[in-house]
Amino acid sequence: MPLTTPSVFPAASAAFMKWPSRRSVVHSTKGMVACTQPLAAKCGIDILNAGGNAADAAVAVAAGMNLTEPCSTGIGGDMFCLYYDAATGKVSALNGSGRAGGKCTLETIRKSLDIPEGTVGKIPMDSVHAVTVPGAAAGWVDTVERFGSGRLSLEQILTPAIELGVRGFPVSELTAYFWQKSESSLRSASPNFAEMLKPDPSAPDGYRAPRAGDIIRLPHLAQTFLTLAKEGKKGFYTGRIASELVKVVQDLGGHLTLDDLSHHLETGSEPVAPISLKFTGQGLSPQTGVELWEHPPNGQGIVALMALGILQHLESISQIPTFTPEDHNTTPYLHAIIEALRISFADASWFVTDPNVTRVPSAELLSPEYLAQRAKLFSPKSANSDILSPGDPYASPALSSSDTVYFAVSDAQGNAISFINSNYGGFGTAIIPKNCGFTLQNRGANFSLDPKHPNVLEPRKRPYHTIIPGLVTNLADDSLHSVFGVMGGFMQPQGHVQVLLGQIVGGLNPQQALDAPRVCIGAGMPDEGDVYDRTVYVEEGMPQSSVDGLRELGHKVEVVSGQGRALFGRGQIIRWTVDDVERESGVWSGGSDFRGDGGAYPA
């Protein structure tokens, strides 16, 4: 039996709001969409109201997000999802990530980048060699085919987004900020930049990035969606779109070919077995505990599972206490989370890669014996500077924040989907195939160019992936607890741990768990600092006593405010409970990060 609705909320308190946010939890019995863009959410709500299920609506939202937040996501990127089927209670995973080109050997790319012999080097984020085959288009189609209701066609599902692109829409505040910040990148990346700028006769060349509230039309992207809707995956991975994609890449010196796109068409998205960890720590029991589900490698969800497992073991041997709600975001609480995450990232940075090319020992990494061994690195009295040394060549390739969109969708039948789609960094490479209206991702920058590393670049290989959807079930009966996620590169597993524990330890409702100040270990984008720096970034609003305490334990702490808080990601949560009296009546309860433009919207 799912938990009852009162479990969503903390105990009654005279405190109105612990953090500077006035958002309340949103409830619905018919389903919900939680995402960073209201207009994209409406695309999903339209599909739910038309009889589609959570999976159908998620694809509609993904397309809407490509239009309304192209500075984070798009059909030129990759996607992952976790799907909860209410009828069977089964959790399924879909890997919609693309691969390196068949001609992208280590020798070829090193030569193309003029990397000197004896130097490891790296693929720059803005390089054409960072382009991997886009997996999102196939992922959208496969999501509908494998998890969809069967009541709506792909064309019906994509129609709300297509109409948005043709008719135009006003741009939200944060999207406008990042669009303007990236205008120079769009202009320099390819000759087709005008397709993703606003026509304006007063601009020097007649085009500019949109400002907040400006109406922008993206007809080329709408046409790409229409082609996918009418022709399916074949319309994207062969024909005009494929030819223009390959042409712009090759014109810029890249090595992708039409065969690479055909290969992905034939291969499709990969159904994979999700990985999980049963968590009974912090006052939970086998009856009240939860199971956290994550997407397996090549994604980094295993980091969140390992960190929770380490924390669970530390509690069992009395190295950390069973924290109370009053302990949430105190020094001992944050210190334990920070150190558990450092240990987990140190392992993931070496082991996480494409399991179809190199074996990834997920089961061994999550075994109680191994986690107990790794937990020995923890000291409650000081930060361990030896877990991951600055400049370590095998430090996580994901030690950077990135631009991604995460969203959650549920429906009236009790199904729910945790969905994430990303360009990787911002507009990705910002390269636009002619008359296609989307940018190509730069996920290939996550490959290692060290031949000894498991994540080394190889032809037709998928890189270490930062994007991870999350899903939680109740241990007692495997019923759904929640779908959730926190987007933002290296921040994602850190956000998963903090947001989930905020609800378990802090007794926070979904909105409060997202509102609470967060910490992030590791620097920002590679072009903004040393990604191997050991700084613990602390969000403005964290108690000063906690900041001081972390410093006393030996952590290098920096408080982040203003626009810099984008580092801490943007999350969404949708909880599932049943009415306390009418046990047959289910309730969806959603929260949406105030760091984004959107919200949680009921069907």
Side-chain angles (χ1 to χ4, degrees):
M1 187 70 170
L3 300 178
T4 58
T5 303
S7 67
V8 172
F9 297 95
S13 169
F16 176 63
M17 177 60 71
K18 296 174 68 174
W19 303 286
S21 172
R22 270 295 295 115
R23 293 190 179 187
S24 300
V25 176
V26 176
H27 304 287
S28 176
T29 58
K30 295 182 179 180
M32 183 173 289
V33 175
C35 70
T36 56
Q37 293 296 326
L39 294 174
K42 187 179 184 302
C43 293
I45 295 296
D46 286 349
I47 297 305
L48 290 177
N49 291 339
N53 70 357
D56 297 330
V59 172
V61 174
M65 292 295 297
N66 189 169
L67 287 154
T68 57
E69 198 173 313
C71 50
S72 301
T73 187
I75 199 169
D78 287 340
M79 59 74 63
F80 290 154
C81 73
L82 294 173
Y83 183 73
Y84 180 84
D85 187 323
T88 63
K90 181 181 179 182
V91 179
S92 301
L94 184 68
N95 185 334
S97 62
R99 297 166 175 83
K103 294 183 178 180
C104 295
T105 65
L106 183 62
E107 180 183 12
T108 296
I109 298 305
R110 288 180 61 86
K111 183 177 180 181
S112 295
L113 291 171
D114 293 323
I115 297 174
E117 196 70 33
T119 302
V120 172
K122 62 181 180 180
I123 301 174
M125 297 278 281
D126 60 354
S127 169
V128 68
H129 304 299
V131 177
T132 48
V133 174
W140 295 0
V141 175
D142 291 334
T143 296
V144 171
E145 291 181 352
R146 292 170 186 172
F147 308 128
S149 66
R151 292 186 289 270
L152 299 178
S153 67
L154 185 62
E155 186 169 358
Q156 288 174 296
I157 290 167
L158 292 179
T159 290
I162 292 169
E163 291 179 349
L164 205 60
V166 172
R167 296 176 181 174
F169 58 90
V171 177
S172 65
E173 294 174 52
L174 291 177
T175 294
Y177 171 82
F178 289 110
W179 211 323
Q180 291 169 48
K181 186 178 179 181
S182 301
E183 180 176 349
S184 61
S185 297
L186 288 168
R187 287 180 173 277
S188 62
S190 73
N192 309 313
F193 61 86
E195 293 181 28
M196 297 192 74
L197 295 177
K198 179 179 175 64
D200 182 349
S202 69
D205 63 354
Y207 297 94
R208 61 169 174 81
R211 307 183 185 104
D214 278 354
I215 292 176
I216 190 166
R217 295 173 178 83
L218 297 173
H220 294 100
L221 181 55
Q223 183 60 48
T224 292
F225 290 166
L226 185 61
T227 301
L228 182 69
K230 289 182 176 295
E231 301 178 27
K233 287 183 281 189
K234 187 176 180 181
F236 187 91
Y237 294 98
T238 65
R240 179 188 66 84
I241 295 172
S243 295
E244 291 296 347
L245 193 160
V246 168
K247 182 179 186 302
V248 73
V249 168
Q250 292 186 354
D251 285 351
L252 294 168
H255 304 286
L256 282 185
T257 66
L258 287 172
D259 283 344
D260 294 324
L261 299 184
S262 295
H263 175 263
H264 196 83
L265 172 64
E266 296 161 7
T267 306
S269 309
E270 182 182 6
V272 291
I275 54 178
S276 67
L277 182 128
K278 294 178 171 63
F279 188 75
T280 55
Q282 295 302 316
L284 301 180
S285 68
Q287 288 70 45
T288 61
V290 297
E291 186 165 5
L292 174 61
W293 298 83
E294 296 279 357
H295 198 285
N298 55 318
Q300 61 174 345
I302 195 169
V303 172
L305 300 180
M306 291 183 68
L308 276 182
I310 289 170
L311 290 169
Q312 187 164 242
H313 179 76
L314 291 172
E315 182 186 6
S316 72
I317 61 173
S318 301
Q319 280 282 77
I320 62 173
T322 300
F323 293 109
T324 67
E326 291 71 30
D327 294 319
H328 179 254
N329 275 355
T330 60
T331 297
Y333 175 86
L334 293 174
H335 173 64
I337 290 174
I338 290 165
E339 294 295 282
L341 285 166
R342 283 203 190 281
I343 295 166
S344 304
F345 268 114
D347 283 342
S349 66
W350 177 256
F351 288 110
V352 173
T353 187
D354 186 346
N356 293 340
V357 178
T358 304
R359 180 179 176 271
V360 180
S362 296
E364 292 92 328
L365 291 172
L366 293 173
S367 69
E369 296 78 16
Y370 184 74
L371 294 174
Q373 177 187 340
R374 297 300 280 158
K376 292 177 182 178
L377 291 170
F378 174 79
S379 168
K381 297 181 180 179
S382 65
N384 188 337
S385 61
D386 296 325
I387 295 173
L388 193 63
S389 300
D392 187 331
Y394 302 124
S396 169
L399 284 179
S400 61
S401 65
S402 68
D403 293 294
T404 298
V405 294
Y406 169 82
F407 54 89
V409 183
S410 61
D411 61 35
Q413 289 71 48
N415 305 304
I417 190 166
S418 186
F419 199 108
I420 197 156
N421 206 119
S422 177
N423 294 329
Y424 186 34
F427 280 92
T429 58
I431 296 169
I432 302 171
K434 187 177 180 180
N435 294 329
C436 294
F438 63 86
T439 57
L440 298 173
Q441 66 181 350
N442 50 8
R443 187 62 61 175
N446 245 7
F447 278 119
S448 171
L449 297 184
D450 187 329
K452 300 187 294 295
H453 200 291
N455 189 45
V456 65
L457 171 68
E458 297 178 64
R460 299 275 164 84
K461 183 177 182 179
R462 297 174 300 191
Y464 179 123
H465 237 288
T466 56
I467 62 175
I468 52 171
L471 188 150
V472 183
T473 53
N474 297 302
L475 278 181
D477 61 357
D478 297 326
S479 61
L480 182 67
H481 176 280
S482 57
V483 283
F484 81 114
V486 178
M487 64 191 83
F490 174 61
M491 180 64 206
Q492 291 181 59
Q494 303 184 60
H496 282 205
V497 171
Q498 293 176 72
V499 165
L500 181 58
L501 289 180
Q503 296 170 84
I504 292 171
V505 175
L508 306 176
N509 69 43
Q511 188 59 56
Q512 292 170 331
L514 292 167
D515 290 341
R518 299 197 273 262
V519 297
C520 178
I521 57 174
M525 297 297 287
D527 57 353
E528 294 180 3
D530 181 2
V531 297
Y532 302 135
D533 190 90
R534 294 190 54 80
T535 302
V536 176
Y537 294 95
V538 176
E539 190 171 17
E540 181 183 33
M542 192 71 74
Q544 188 59 45
S545 58
S546 299
V547 175
D548 294 340
L550 289 174
R551 286 174 174 148
E552 289 171 7
L553 288 173
H555 293 285
K556 179 185 175 185
V557 178
E558 183 175 323
V559 178
V560 180
S561 61
Q563 288 286 358
R565 294 168 71 182
L567 171 68
F568 301 100
R570 300 167 295 162
Q572 318 291 337
I573 303 173
I574 299 179
R575 286 277 303 271
W576 170 251
T577 57
V578 294
D579 184 86
D580 201 22
V581 177
E582 302 175 25
R583 294 301 179 101
E584 299 304 313
S585 300
V587 179
W588 297 109
S589 302
S592 182
D593 209 312
F594 74 98
R595 300 166 187 83
D597 281 326
Y601 304 91

